Amino acid sequence: MSGAATLLRDVFGFDGFRPGQQEIVEAVTAGENTLSIMPTGGGKSLCFQMPALLRDGVTVVISPLIALMRDQVRALQELGVGAGALTSGNTPEETDAVWEGLEAGTLKLLYMAPERLAAGSVTGMLKRVGVSLIAVDEAHCVSQWGHDFRPDYLRIGELRRTLDVPLAAFTATADTETQAEIVQKLFDGVPPRAFLRGFDRPNIHLAFAAKNGPRAQILNFASGRRGQSGIVYCGTRAKTEGLAKALRDDGHLALHYHGGMEADDRRTAERRFQQEDGLIVVATVAFGMGIDKPDIRWVAHADLPKSIEAYYQEIGRAGRDGAPAETLTLFGPDDIRLRRSQIDEGLAPPERRVADHARLNALLGLAEALACRRANLLKYFDETDVTCGNCDLCDTPVEVFDGTTAVRKALSAMLRTEEWFGAGHLIDILLGNETDKIRERGHSDLPTYGVGKEYDKREWQAVFRQMMGHDLVRPDAARHGALRMTDAALPILRGEASISLRRDSIRAAASQRRPAVKAMVSDEDAPLLSALKAKRRGLAEAAKVPAYIIFNDRTLIEMAEKRPDTLDAMARIGGVGAKKLENFGDAFLEVINGAAAEMHPTRRKLAGRAAGSVFDQLREVQTTLSRGADGGEKPLSCSTSLLAKVAQLHAPNLDAIERILGEKRTERFGPAFLDVLQQAG
């Protein structure tokens, strides 16, 4: 696919595909129906954007959120690609520009929200403008049991049948059940060509911590990452507002976001997060699905997510540029009680509740893991060949002990009180604390009273939390949250199975060591990276676009480390395509080296390509021969456009050169030019 390689370099600014991208691009370009499951940040967008440029006609991209579409359109336009979106947020001028591009045949990608498919006129319009491919982003939204279900996604299958064009579906989160739904709803049950690129995001550091003063823990984590863009997810709207204020009081640039805000306030928050460097958004899960910001450096959960899929999707918003990113997830018994009750009290049928408990169990297993979190997480997605070294348990292996006796004592206390009490009262029984509640109920007479004095209260809290995490006990909403034993606990109670637990003493948040921050660049390069970010910020503000539309963090990091000193060198930096080199190359070279050297516009178009150095050699030869080999002839030269055409000859010979230069110039320069071309080839 030489055309794809050229587009990759000249338009998108990359020397090579990421793992798995090329085979997907080839299949989509060839018109095959495809389903691609790729990790967030794995380069999904390129897998439909590039085929759109390689194929005739228009590619319609169905995407769930306006903010996401607008960002992708702006990014493509910055690359010189004909792209537009038809959304309710368009200005009249933007909508007119889209129609003009469609009529003129210059628009290659048309983004639309699924809700527009409800209008009967849309299908006719898409037929008329020559749609040749449908790309569906976030394809898991078609799943009626998924937390991101969008009813209008169910119209996409009908659109595919009506237009009779291939469909390429993409998602980062789809278990086996959801994959089957996608195939049924989008492809009428006929399996498309499937690409499963794996779920690993090796650049993201994974960490969990038991709650102990969660506000202080989040402030501690954020303080070690001051000046970096981050998201803090909270379980309630009130908590987002309180924690955002606490972060601001601690000197951070922070704002809150939740579904109860006015629409204008939400849009302002989204815009600020996209455009400002180092901003922290404290949000409910209403925030993030439409955020296409590649340089989010960290994600923290102040409360336990709803499921392992939700966790994976939410942490996946960090580090989409491939640079290092970090996560921290806090959890405690109250989180587990809340998540269990949400499942039990929901309206889903019984079989769905069983599945939801299993998903929560997978997340709790990750939270209470005894070794490598990445291996634990990826095992859920059926990946077993895992290399980590980038999680808290690989950094500092935990101390593990045989918790069988402790768990049996706890279960015995539950059974002897007929499973009517929560962990607090049960711990008082085990410790032999003579509280009013114990005296009133006569629980000091129980055989289990005072049998657990080998542990203190916090250690018993950790044991009960881990028992909940291993799904040995569950809170019973009908008994006001009292703990009840599950079938999984019976083998341990009977002495038929053992269990290992973490020796979790739960240190005070104030005494915890501030987590080390992974530096994005060396100390030597840090000042230059800061200057490059300042230049990017100024250009982004002037253009009223997100900073990453100019260049993402990974590109700036490479600039700071490699310090290109010419446009040719700049063009070899990842993420610097021809259009961005033309628009921003000089400005960033000036930051790196001072004033940028002038370059003729024709030569600039060849920057970073082999033809560029050939052009330079041809110009030197021309200077030498401008008055002929003996220096006594009438001056003769070629224009820069002619030299550029010669430099780009693929099968050079004198006849080909003469067709460009004409007989007179070929007579003087042809043989020497041919030598240069043959040596370069």
Side-chain angles (χ1 to χ4, degrees), residues 8 12 14 17 21 25 43-51:
L8 188 66
F12 295 96
F14 299 113
F17 289 101
Q21 279 184 324
V25 167
K44 285 185 297 174
S45 299
L46 184 81
C47 293
F48 59 79
Q49 290 171 352
M50 183 173 285

Side-chain angles (χ1 to χ4, degrees), residues 616-659:
D616 294 339
Q617 293 175 60
L618 294 176
R619 192 158 52 179
E620 287 180 18
V621 167
Q622 176 184 258
T623 301
T624 303
L625 297 177
S626 64
R627 286 184 172 271
D630 58 4
E633 297 184 39
K634 185 177 178 181
L636 187 64
S637 65
C638 306
S639 68
T640 53
S641 61
L642 290 177
L643 286 177
K645 288 178 181 177
V646 174
Q648 295 175 83
L649 276 173
H650 293 298
N653 55 57
L654 284 175
D655 287 341
I657 291 173
E658 185 173 345
R659 282 195 292 273

Side-chain angles (χ1 to χ4, degrees), residues 480-500:
H480 309 291
L483 294 178
R484 301 194 71 168
M485 191 171 66
T486 68
D487 290 344
L490 290 173
I492 298 173
L493 186 66
R494 295 170 182 154
E496 299 167 357
S498 62
I499 185 169
S500 295

Side-chain angles (χ1 to χ4, degrees), residues 22-201:
Q22 184 169 352
E23 56 184 350
I24 298 172
V25 167
E26 289 174 351
V28 176
T29 303
E32 297 184 56
N33 286 328
T34 58
L35 169 59
S36 301
I37 301 169
M38 307 170 70
T40 304
K44 285 185 297 174
S45 299
L46 184 81
C47 293
F48 59 79
Q49 290 171 352
M50 183 173 285
L53 302 184
L54 291 167
R55 291 173 60 86
D56 293 332
V58 177
T59 292
V60 61
V61 182
I62 297 173
S63 185
L65 288 177
I66 291 174
L68 186 68
M69 289 188 278
R70 292 177 72 86
D71 287 341
Q72 290 202 8
V73 167
R74 280 185 292 193
L76 287 166
Q77 290 172 345
E78 202 62 52
L79 296 173
V81 173
L86 290 176
T87 77
S88 58
N90 278 22
T91 64
E93 292 78 14
E94 288 172 331
T95 299
D96 288 345
V98 170
W99 289 118
E100 288 169 9
L102 288 170
E103 296 295 342
T106 57
L107 201 76
K108 295 296 294 179
L109 290 109
L110 174 63
Y111 282 75
M112 296 174 59
E115 286 74 16
R116 288 191 77 93
L117 301 181
S121 59
V122 168
T123 303
M125 178 273 287
L126 295 178
K127 275 185 172 181
R128 187 171 58 81
V129 300
V131 169
S132 63
L133 172 69
I134 300 171
V136 182
D137 203 7
E138 309 291 356
H140 63 276
C141 292
V142 79
S143 171
Q144 289 179 268
W145 292 112
H147 59 284
D148 288 328
F149 175 56
R150 298 285 285 267
D152 288 291
Y153 263 64
L154 300 175
R155 302 177 188 274
I156 298 173
E158 181 183 347
L159 179 67
R160 180 188 64 81
R161 290 190 297 273
T162 303
L163 296 180
D164 192 24
V165 296
L167 186 147
F170 297 87
T171 181
T173 49
D175 56 17
T176 304
E177 182 182 4
T178 304
Q179 290 176 43
E181 273 196 86
I182 291 171
V183 171
Q184 187 61 48
K185 303 284 176 51
L186 298 185
F187 300 99
D188 292 333
V190 179
R193 187 170 175 192
F195 298 90
L196 180 58
R197 275 306 312 155
F199 292 87
D200 194 13
R201 296 284 306 284

Side-chain angles (χ1 to χ4, degrees), residues 323-388:
E326 297 177 273
T327 67
L328 173 67
T329 301
L330 302 181
F331 67 103
D334 288 343
D335 293 298
I336 301 172
R337 290 189 191 94
L338 173 65
R339 296 307 184 199
R340 292 286 187 210
S341 65
Q342 285 175 333
I343 295 170
D344 288 333
E345 296 170 14
L347 300 176
E351 65 274 13
R352 189 67 195 187
R353 290 202 293 271
V354 170
D356 287 341
H357 277 299
R359 288 188 170 99
L360 178 58
N361 285 346
L363 179 60
L364 294 172
L366 178 62
E368 297 291 4
L370 304 179
C372 185
R373 295 205 196 273
R374 193 175 309 278
N376 199 298
L377 173 63
L378 296 177
K379 183 180 178 182
Y380 177 81
F381 295 108
D382 296 323
E383 292 186 32
T384 54
D385 186 13
V386 180
T387 302
C388 183

